[in-house]
Amino acid sequence: MAKFRMYPTCAQERQMLLHCAHARYVWNLAVEQHAHWRRWRRSAPGFAEQCRQLTEARRDNEWLGSGNADVQQQALNLFFI
């Protein structure tokens, strides 16, 4: 098995931390949505609906929109695994 080490530059490290911050933010929103779900309400939003909501949030929020959409969607996808 090959082992690799990363030695990112300062700029690359900042970008990776920003990706992590975006993913954590999106994950926490998904958890919050599902925490509010109750049996008598409609079902909690699924992956496709949350991706649609993410697109709207990225459009409305410059900080979130500046991040990588794939990273953010993968955070949502992990929620449904």
Side-chain angles (χ1 to χ4, degrees), residues 36-47:
H36 288 300
W37 178 80
R38 299 291 181 261
R39 291 178 205 255
W40 59 87
R41 293 184 186 158
R42 295 182 317 167
S43 63
F47 177 68

Side-chain angles (χ1 to χ4, degrees), residues 38-70:
R38 299 291 181 261
R39 291 178 205 255
W40 59 87
R41 293 184 186 158
R42 295 182 317 167
S43 63
F47 177 68
E49 174 62 19
Q50 284 190 323
C51 283
R52 189 190 63 72
Q53 293 172 0
L54 176 60
T55 299
E56 288 179 18
R58 287 175 49 79
R59 190 178 317 124
D60 297 339
N61 186 325
E62 186 178 332
W63 174 77
L64 191 61
S66 69
N68 186 297
D70 291 331

Side-chain angles (χ1 to χ4, degrees), residues 14-15 17-29 54 57-69 72:
R14 279 192 305 274
Q15 188 62 42
L17 289 172
L18 191 58
H19 286 318
C20 291
H22 290 144
R24 184 173 46 251
Y25 179 79
V26 168
W27 172 269
N28 287 338
L29 285 176
L54 176 60
R58 287 175 49 79
R59 190 178 317 124
D60 297 339
N61 186 325
E62 186 178 332
W63 174 77
L64 191 61
S66 69
N68 186 297
Q72 296 166 10

